[in-house]
Amino acid sequence: MNFPQGFRAGAVAAGLKSSGALDLTIIENFGPTSSCAAVFTSNKVVAAPVTWTKQILKGGAIRSVVLNSGGANACTGPQGFADTHLTAETVANALGISSSEVAVCSTGLIGELLPMHKMLAGIQSICLSLSVDSLDSSARAIMTTDTKPKISSKEILGSTFTGIAKGAGMLAPALATMLSVVMTDAVVDEKHLQEIFTRVCNRTFNRIDSDGCTSTNDTVILMASGSSGVQISDSNLEQTLMEVCGSLATQLIGDAEGHTKIVSIEVINAGSEDDAVAVGRACARNNLLKCALFGGDPNWGRILAALGTADADFDPADVDVSLNQVMVSRSSGPGDDRNLVDLSGVNISILIDLKSGLHSATIYTNDLSHDYVEENSAYAT
Amino acid sequence: MNFPQGFRAGAVAAGLKSSGALDLTIIENFGPTSSCAAVFTSNKVVAAPVTWTKQILKGGAIRSVVLNSGGANACTGPQGFADTHLTAETVANALGISSSEVAVCSTGLIGELLPMHKMLAGIQSICLSLSVDSLDSSARAIMTTDTKPKISSKEILGSTFTGIAKGAGMLAPALATMLSVVMTDAVVDEKHLQEIFTRVCNRTFNRIDSDGCTSTNDTVILMASGSSGVQISDSNLEQTLMEVCGSLATQLIGDAEGHTKIVSIEVINAGSEDDAVAVGRACARNNLLKCALFGGDPNWGRILAALGTADADFDPADVDVSLNQVMVSRSSGPGDDRNLVDLSGVNISILIDLKSGLHSATIYTNDLSHDYVEENSAYAT
């Protein structure tokens, strides 16, 4: 698959990953427009690339993103920030743009400086061979423990939206980051771009929650080149972004580290969307429930106990809960026989009816397995 | 070990546990005073015994507590509450007191009714043989997956404080509850009793956090018989309760299900005690950090990433972190070599210096292990 018009990129194995796999990529938006928006981690402790990219975003234009795996450049102090700055300057010089137009994203182990000689050599090498057909390489270069690249593309009215992403939430080792770049050749109205993109990210990427941990490096960037010449309305923009980002989010949770089950938690009839999200998230983060799902144990009491910890308004004595289409709890008491529930498949659906309003939301998560513990127990050593 | 003066009890294997072990106990305070205080789970979804005990506490006197393992009586609807009421009435009739003076505590699987014929027969049997030397039996009768009974006792100025407890936080299967009864023969001033007991529980039981899950059944009850005739000051009362409850809390986390490490997270120089607790708790609930500790991996970046998610005021760029006495991070950047950290022992200490004030707090937790996943993956089936 190729990039949308107005974008080109390249990727190399710069030597940051010990495996020798692709680990550095540069994506360029050569215009004519450089409209952009971005969403970042809510963690107070952020990596140098996040600090940098937040800062340049105030300039209102991103013409290039450089992304590396093999090192998060988080908790690396002033030297880490200087390294990010130098990375952006090197890309800028090679592309003939300003460093304040170069976003930087990193992912990998926290607390170690990047090998800058490898980074800089890699950047020089990539910039000599940018091409429009390197989408797959870019998607691969940002992978850490992902087992496959994540790409989603959608055409609308003659314009194309394409996104790449890595690392489902915080489920990978050492808080491997969720990074994503979404590109379009549509001409977009900049007025509501950030607002729309924030809303889309809240309803897609922010509704997957594999282990409740929040990374230091999360970054999602939207870039619009305008090179298709197609003007797109705000509503079409939002709808198309919902589809592309929704697909990437689904791919991320579907490749969650150590998962054996993919779990959707749909909360209906909540008093507000925030309440629905809070209830879904409380379940998605409950280790006892996640262990039960791993074991194929229809222990619905754990769902009730989990949703009871949410900061949301509902009557705790009147909640209905279905587990894979069996209503195991009616009005917070026993419902149909729990032994009727078949949890043998990969996909598990939990439906929670709060009977408190008209709002709903779905949170996606996975189970807590032996493999999750194994893969996260000895990463830095 | 015996009960403090003014208390007697008994325990039987009523058949609630399939193992045939002790599963029902009744503790009676025969006075002369029946001063009491209690603290309950913060979960919105609460078991029938919690609803009942909160209700009778308004009467201001508790003269007996009946506790069972083998069933939580949570999410059991109106029938569950009727069963709790009948349980209290049966105890009250047998002891010649009012049912509004009988607290009820249950622990076990959520969502199933208790076998009341076994409960009632057990109560009759116990009430025929109450004795002052059955402390160990009572402590055993409330165990679920605990490997040993938890008892703590302390004498002060001729009065005795003794507590029993089961189930560290929510770490046992199906949200096994943290139950505790603390008894004293001291004469206490009722005026500040609840306030003092709440504060003590907040700084002891509420500072252990094995998996972040909140039970539907948590109950901690304090009863004072006054039978030693020794009047105790509020400050001596608080100090002694801190010791007894602190010891029980330590025993609970030391017997946490599936643990291989016991972890203390001390947060110092916080702007407030609440900030210190929030930072400690954010680390105690971070699965990636807990997996690293299980693996003996000194991955300090995960500590920084975890504390950065706390709702607390501090400078995220200026935090010092020590792991087993090695300062692995200075000013949120790399500190001493992480390879100097020895994580081979059972006890791990994390020290976090927020450099933002004069307050501190310590949270106790454990690691996230294969055994935790195993023991919690097939409980109801």
Coordinates of all heavy atoms in Angstrom, one line a residue, chain A residues 21-85:
Chain A
A21 N 16.4 -5.4 12.9 CA 15.2 -5.1 12.1 C 15.1 -3.6 11.9 O 15.8 -2.8 12.5 CB 13.9 -5.6 12.9
L22 N 14.2 -3.2 11.0 CA 13.9 -1.8 10.7 C 13.6 -1.1 12.1 O 12.8 -1.6 12.9 CB 12.7 -1.7 9.8 CG 12.9 -2.1 8.3 CD1 11.6 -2.1 7.6 CD2 14.0 -1.3 7.6
D23 N 14.2 0.1 12.3 CA 13.9 0.7 13.6 C 13.9 2.2 13.5 O 13.8 2.9 14.5 CB 15.0 0.3 14.6 CG 16.4 0.4 14.1 OD1 16.6 1.2 13.2 OD2 17.3 -0.2 14.7
L24 N 14.0 2.8 12.3 CA 14.0 4.2 12.1 C 13.3 4.6 10.8 O 13.5 4.0 9.8 CB 15.4 4.8 12.1 CG 15.6 6.3 12.0 CD1 15.1 7.0 13.3 CD2 17.1 6.7 11.8
T25 N 12.3 5.5 10.9 CA 11.6 5.9 9.7 C 11.4 7.4 9.8 O 11.3 8.0 10.8 CB 10.3 5.2 9.5 OG1 9.7 5.6 8.3 CG2 9.3 5.5 10.7
I26 N 11.3 8.0 8.6 CA 11.0 9.4 8.4 C 9.9 9.6 7.4 O 9.9 9.0 6.3 CB 12.3 10.2 7.9 CG1 13.4 10.2 8.9 CG2 11.9 11.7 7.6 CD1 14.7 10.7 8.4
I27 N 8.9 10.3 7.8 CA 7.7 10.5 6.9 C 7.7 12.0 6.6 O 7.8 12.9 7.5 CB 6.4 10.1 7.6 CG1 6.4 8.6 7.9 CG2 5.2 10.5 6.7 CD1 5.2 8.1 8.7
E28 N 7.6 12.4 5.3 CA 7.6 13.8 4.9 C 6.3 14.1 4.3 O 5.8 13.4 3.4 CB 8.7 14.1 3.9 CG 8.8 15.6 3.6 CD 9.7 15.9 2.4 OE1 10.1 14.9 1.7 OE2 10.1 17.0 2.2
N29 N 5.7 15.2 4.7 CA 4.5 15.8 4.0 C 5.0 16.9 3.1 O 5.4 18.0 3.6 CB 3.5 16.3 5.0 CG 2.4 17.1 4.4 OD1 2.2 17.1 3.2 ND2 1.6 17.8 5.3
F30 N 5.0 16.7 1.7 CA 5.6 17.7 0.9 C 4.5 18.6 0.3 O 4.7 19.4 -0.6 CB 6.5 17.2 -0.2 CG 6.0 16.1 -1.1 CD1 5.3 16.4 -2.2 CD2 6.2 14.8 -0.8 CE1 4.8 15.4 -3.0 CE2 5.7 13.8 -1.6 CZ 5.0 14.1 -2.7
G31 N 3.3 18.6 0.9 CA 2.3 19.6 0.7 C 1.4 19.4 -0.5 O 1.3 18.3 -1.0
P32 N 0.7 20.4 -0.9 CA 1.1 21.9 -0.6 C 0.8 22.3 0.9 O 1.4 23.3 1.3 CB 0.2 22.6 -1.6 CG -1.0 21.7 -1.9 CD -0.4 20.3 -1.8
T33 N -0.2 21.7 1.6 CA -0.5 22.2 2.9 C 0.3 21.4 4.0 O 0.7 20.3 3.7 CB -2.0 22.2 3.2 OG1 -2.4 20.8 3.4 CG2 -2.8 22.8 2.1
S34 N 0.4 22.0 5.2 CA 1.0 21.2 6.3 C 0.1 21.3 7.5 O 0.6 21.5 8.6 CB 2.4 21.8 6.5 OG 2.3 23.2 6.8
S35 N -1.2 21.2 7.3 CA -2.1 21.2 8.4 C -1.8 20.0 9.3 O -1.4 18.9 8.9 CB -3.6 21.0 7.9 OG -3.8 22.0 6.9
C36 N -2.0 20.1 10.6 CA -1.7 19.0 11.5 C -2.5 19.2 12.8 O -3.0 20.2 13.2 CB -0.2 19.0 11.8 SG 0.3 20.5 12.7
A37 N -2.5 18.1 13.5 CA -3.1 18.0 14.9 C -2.4 16.9 15.6 O -1.8 16.0 14.9 CB -4.6 17.8 14.8
A38 N -2.4 16.8 16.9 CA -1.7 15.8 17.6 C -2.3 15.6 19.0 O -2.9 16.5 19.6 CB -0.2 16.0 17.7
V39 N -2.2 14.4 19.5 CA -2.7 14.0 20.8 C -1.5 13.3 21.5 O -0.8 12.5 20.9 CB -3.9 13.1 20.8 CG1 -4.3 12.6 22.1 CG2 -5.1 13.9 20.1
F40 N -1.4 13.5 22.8 CA -0.2 13.0 23.6 C -0.7 12.2 24.8 O -1.8 12.4 25.3 CB 0.7 14.1 23.9 CG 1.3 14.9 22.8 CD1 0.6 16.1 22.4 CD2 2.4 14.5 22.1 CE1 1.1 16.8 21.3 CE2 2.8 15.2 21.0 CZ 2.2 16.4 20.6
T41 N 0.3 11.5 25.4 CA 0.0 10.8 26.6 C -0.4 11.8 27.7 O 0.0 12.9 27.7 CB 1.3 10.1 27.1 OG1 1.1 9.5 28.4 CG2 2.5 11.0 27.3
S42 N -1.2 11.3 28.7 CA -1.6 12.1 29.8 C -0.6 11.9 31.0 O -0.8 12.5 32.0 CB -3.0 11.7 30.3 OG -3.0 10.4 30.7
N43 N 0.4 11.1 30.8 CA 1.4 10.9 31.9 C 2.1 12.2 32.2 O 2.4 12.9 31.3 CB 2.4 9.8 31.5 CG 3.1 9.2 32.7 OD1 3.5 9.8 33.6 ND2 3.2 7.8 32.6
K44 N 2.3 12.5 33.5 CA 3.1 13.7 33.8 C 4.5 13.5 33.5 O 5.2 14.5 33.2 CB 3.0 13.9 35.4 CG 1.6 14.4 35.9 CD 1.7 14.6 37.4 CE 0.4 15.1 37.9 NZ -0.6 14.0 37.9
V45 N 5.0 12.3 33.6 CA 6.4 12.0 33.2 C 6.4 11.7 31.7 O 5.9 10.7 31.3 CB 7.0 10.9 34.0 CG1 8.4 10.5 33.5 CG2 7.0 11.2 35.5
V46 N 7.0 12.6 30.9 CA 7.0 12.4 29.4 C 8.4 12.4 28.9 O 9.3 13.0 29.4 CB 6.2 13.5 28.7 CG1 4.7 13.5 29.1 CG2 6.8 14.9 28.9
A47 N 8.5 11.7 27.8 CA 9.8 11.5 27.1 C 10.2 12.8 26.4 O 9.3 13.6 26.1 CB 9.7 10.4 26.1
A48 N 11.4 13.0 26.2 CA 12.0 14.2 25.5 C 11.2 14.4 24.1 O 10.9 15.6 23.8 CB 13.5 14.0 25.3
P49 N 11.0 13.4 23.3 CA 10.3 13.6 22.0 C 8.9 14.2 22.2 O 8.4 15.0 21.4 CB 10.2 12.2 21.4 CG 11.3 11.4 22.1 CD 11.4 12.0 23.4
V50 N 8.2 13.8 23.3 CA 6.9 14.4 23.6 C 7.0 15.9 23.9 O 6.2 16.7 23.4 CB 6.2 13.6 24.7 CG1 4.9 14.3 25.1 CG2 5.9 12.2 24.3
T51 N 7.9 16.2 24.8 CA 8.2 17.6 25.1 C 8.5 18.4 23.9 O 7.9 19.5 23.6 CB 9.4 17.7 26.1 OG1 9.1 16.9 27.2 CG2 9.5 19.2 26.6
W52 N 9.3 17.9 23.0 CA 9.7 18.6 21.8 C 8.5 18.7 20.8 O 8.2 19.8 20.4 CB 10.8 17.8 21.1 CG 11.0 18.2 19.7 CD1 10.5 17.7 18.5 CD2 11.8 19.4 19.3 NE1 10.9 18.4 17.4 CE2 11.8 19.5 17.9 CE3 12.6 20.3 20.0 CZ2 12.4 20.4 17.1 CZ3 13.3 21.3 19.2 CH2 13.2 21.3 17.8
T53 N 7.8 17.7 20.6 CA 6.7 17.7 19.6 C 5.6 18.6 20.1 O 4.9 19.3 19.3 CB 6.2 16.3 19.3 OG1 7.3 15.5 18.8 CG2 5.2 16.3 18.2
K54 N 5.3 18.6 21.4 CA 4.3 19.5 21.9 C 4.7 20.9 21.7 O 3.8 21.8 21.3 CB 4.1 19.3 23.5 CG 3.2 18.2 23.9 CD 3.1 18.1 25.4 CE 2.1 17.1 25.8 NZ 2.0 17.0 27.3
Q55 N 6.0 21.2 21.8 CA 6.5 22.6 21.7 C 6.4 23.0 20.2 O 5.9 24.1 20.0 CB 7.9 22.5 22.1 CG 8.6 23.8 22.3 CD 10.0 23.6 23.0 OE1 10.1 23.0 24.1 NE2 11.0 24.1 22.4
I56 N 6.8 22.2 19.3 CA 6.8 22.7 17.9 C 5.3 22.7 17.3 O 5.1 23.5 16.4 CB 7.6 21.8 16.9 CG1 7.0 20.4 16.8 CG2 9.1 21.8 17.4 CD1 7.4 19.7 15.5
L57 N 4.4 22.0 18.0 CA 3.1 22.0 17.5 C 2.4 23.4 17.6 O 1.5 23.8 16.9 CB 2.2 21.0 18.3 CG 1.0 20.5 17.6 CD1 1.4 19.6 16.4 CD2 0.1 19.7 18.6
K58 N 3.0 24.2 18.6 CA 2.5 25.6 18.7 C 2.7 26.4 17.5 O 2.0 27.4 17.2 CB 3.1 26.2 19.9 CG 2.7 25.6 21.2 CD 3.5 26.2 22.4 CE 3.2 25.4 23.7 NZ 4.3 25.6 24.7
G59 N 3.7 26.0 16.7 CA 4.0 26.7 15.4 C 2.9 26.4 14.4 O 2.8 27.1 13.3
G60 N 2.1 25.3 14.6 CA 1.0 25.1 13.7 C 1.3 24.3 12.5 O 0.4 24.0 11.7
A61 N 2.5 23.8 12.2 CA 2.8 23.1 11.0 C 3.7 21.9 11.3 O 4.7 22.1 12.1 CB 3.4 24.0 10.0
I62 N 3.4 20.7 10.8 CA 4.4 19.6 10.9 C 4.6 19.2 9.5 O 3.7 18.8 8.8 CB 3.8 18.5 11.8 CG1 3.8 18.9 13.2 CG2 4.7 17.2 11.6 CD1 3.2 17.9 14.1
R63 N 5.8 19.2 9.0 CA 6.1 18.7 7.6 C 6.8 17.4 7.6 O 7.0 16.8 6.6 CB 6.9 19.8 6.9 CG 6.0 21.1 6.6 CD 6.6 22.1 5.8 NE 7.1 21.6 4.5 CZ 7.8 22.3 3.7 NH1 8.3 23.5 4.0 NH2 8.2 21.7 2.5
S64 N 7.3 17.0 8.8 CA 7.9 15.7 8.8 C 7.8 15.1 10.2 O 7.8 15.8 11.2 CB 9.4 15.8 8.4 OG 10.1 14.5 8.4
V65 N 7.8 13.8 10.3 CA 7.8 13.0 11.5 C 9.0 12.0 11.4 O 9.1 11.3 10.5 CB 6.5 12.3 11.9 CG1 6.6 11.7 13.3 CG2 5.3 13.2 11.7
V66 N 9.8 12.0 12.4 CA 10.9 11.0 12.5 C 10.5 10.1 13.7 O 10.3 10.6 14.8 CB 12.3 11.6 12.6 CG1 12.4 12.6 13.7 CG2 13.4 10.5 12.8
L67 N 10.4 8.8 13.5 CA 10.0 7.9 14.5 C 11.1 6.8 14.7 O 11.5 6.2 13.6 CB 8.7 7.2 14.2 CG 7.5 8.1 13.8 CD1 7.4 8.1 12.3 CD2 6.2 7.7 14.4
N68 N 11.4 6.4 15.9 CA 12.3 5.3 16.1 C 11.8 4.3 17.1 O 11.1 4.7 18.1 CB 13.7 5.7 16.5 CG 13.8 6.2 18.0 OD1 13.5 7.3 18.3 ND2 14.2 5.3 18.9
S69 N 12.1 3.1 16.9 CA 11.9 2.1 18.0 C 13.3 1.8 18.6 O 14.3 2.4 18.2 CB 11.2 0.8 17.4 OG 11.9 0.4 16.3
G70 N 13.3 0.9 19.6 CA 14.6 0.5 20.2 C 15.1 1.5 21.2 O 16.3 1.3 21.7
G71 N 14.3 2.4 21.7 CA 14.7 3.3 22.8 C 13.7 4.4 22.9 O 13.3 5.1 21.9
A72 N 13.2 4.7 24.1 CA 12.1 5.6 24.3 C 12.6 7.1 24.5 O 11.8 8.0 24.4 CB 11.2 5.2 25.5
N73 N 13.9 7.2 24.8 CA 14.4 8.5 25.2 C 13.5 9.2 26.2 O 13.2 10.4 26.1 CB 14.6 9.4 23.9 CG 15.5 10.6 24.2 OD1 16.1 10.7 25.3 ND2 15.6 11.5 23.2
A74 N 13.1 8.4 27.2 CA 12.3 9.0 28.4 C 13.2 8.9 29.6 O 14.0 8.0 29.8 CB 11.1 8.1 28.5
C75 N 13.0 9.9 30.5 CA 13.8 9.9 31.7 C 15.3 9.9 31.4 O 16.1 9.2 32.0 CB 13.4 8.8 32.7 SG 11.7 8.7 33.1
T76 N 15.6 10.8 30.5 CA 17.0 10.9 30.1 C 17.6 12.3 30.3 O 18.7 12.6 29.8 CB 17.1 10.6 28.6 OG1 16.1 11.2 27.9 CG2 17.0 9.1 28.3
G77 N 16.8 13.2 31.0 CA 17.3 14.5 31.4 C 17.6 15.4 30.2 O 17.2 15.2 29.1
P78 N 18.4 16.5 30.5 CA 18.7 17.5 29.5 C 19.4 16.9 28.3 O 19.1 17.3 27.1 CB 19.6 18.5 30.2 CG 19.2 18.3 31.7 CD 18.9 16.8 31.8
Q79 N 20.2 15.9 28.4 CA 20.9 15.3 27.3 C 19.9 14.6 26.3 O 20.0 14.7 25.1 CB 21.9 14.3 27.8 CG 22.8 13.7 26.6 CD 23.6 14.8 25.9 OE1 24.2 15.6 26.5 NE2 23.5 14.8 24.5
G80 N 18.9 14.0 26.9 CA 17.9 13.4 26.1 C 17.1 14.4 25.2 O 16.9 14.1 24.1
F81 N 16.8 15.6 25.8 CA 16.1 16.6 25.1 C 17.0 17.1 24.0 O 16.6 17.4 22.8 CB 15.6 17.7 26.0 CG 14.8 18.7 25.3 CD1 13.4 18.4 25.0 CD2 15.3 19.9 24.8 CE1 12.6 19.3 24.3 CE2 14.5 20.8 24.1 CZ 13.1 20.5 23.8
A82 N 18.3 17.3 24.3 CA 19.3 17.8 23.3 C 19.4 16.8 22.1 O 19.5 17.2 21.0 CB 20.6 18.0 23.9
D83 N 19.3 15.5 22.5 CA 19.4 14.5 21.4 C 18.1 14.6 20.5 O 18.3 14.5 19.3 CB 19.5 13.1 22.0 CG 20.8 12.9 22.6 OD1 21.8 13.6 22.4 OD2 21.0 11.9 23.4
T84 N 17.0 14.8 21.1 CA 15.7 15.0 20.3 C 15.9 16.2 19.4 O 15.5 16.1 18.2 CB 14.5 15.1 21.2 OG1 14.3 13.8 21.8 CG2 13.3 15.4 20.4
H85 N 16.3 17.3 20.0 CA 16.5 18.5 19.2 C 17.4 18.3 18.0 O 17.2 18.7 16.9 CB 17.0 19.6 20.1 CG 17.0 21.0 19.5 ND1 17.1 22.1 20.2 CD2 16.8 21.4 18.2 CE1 17.1 23.2 19.4 NE2 16.9 22.8 18.2

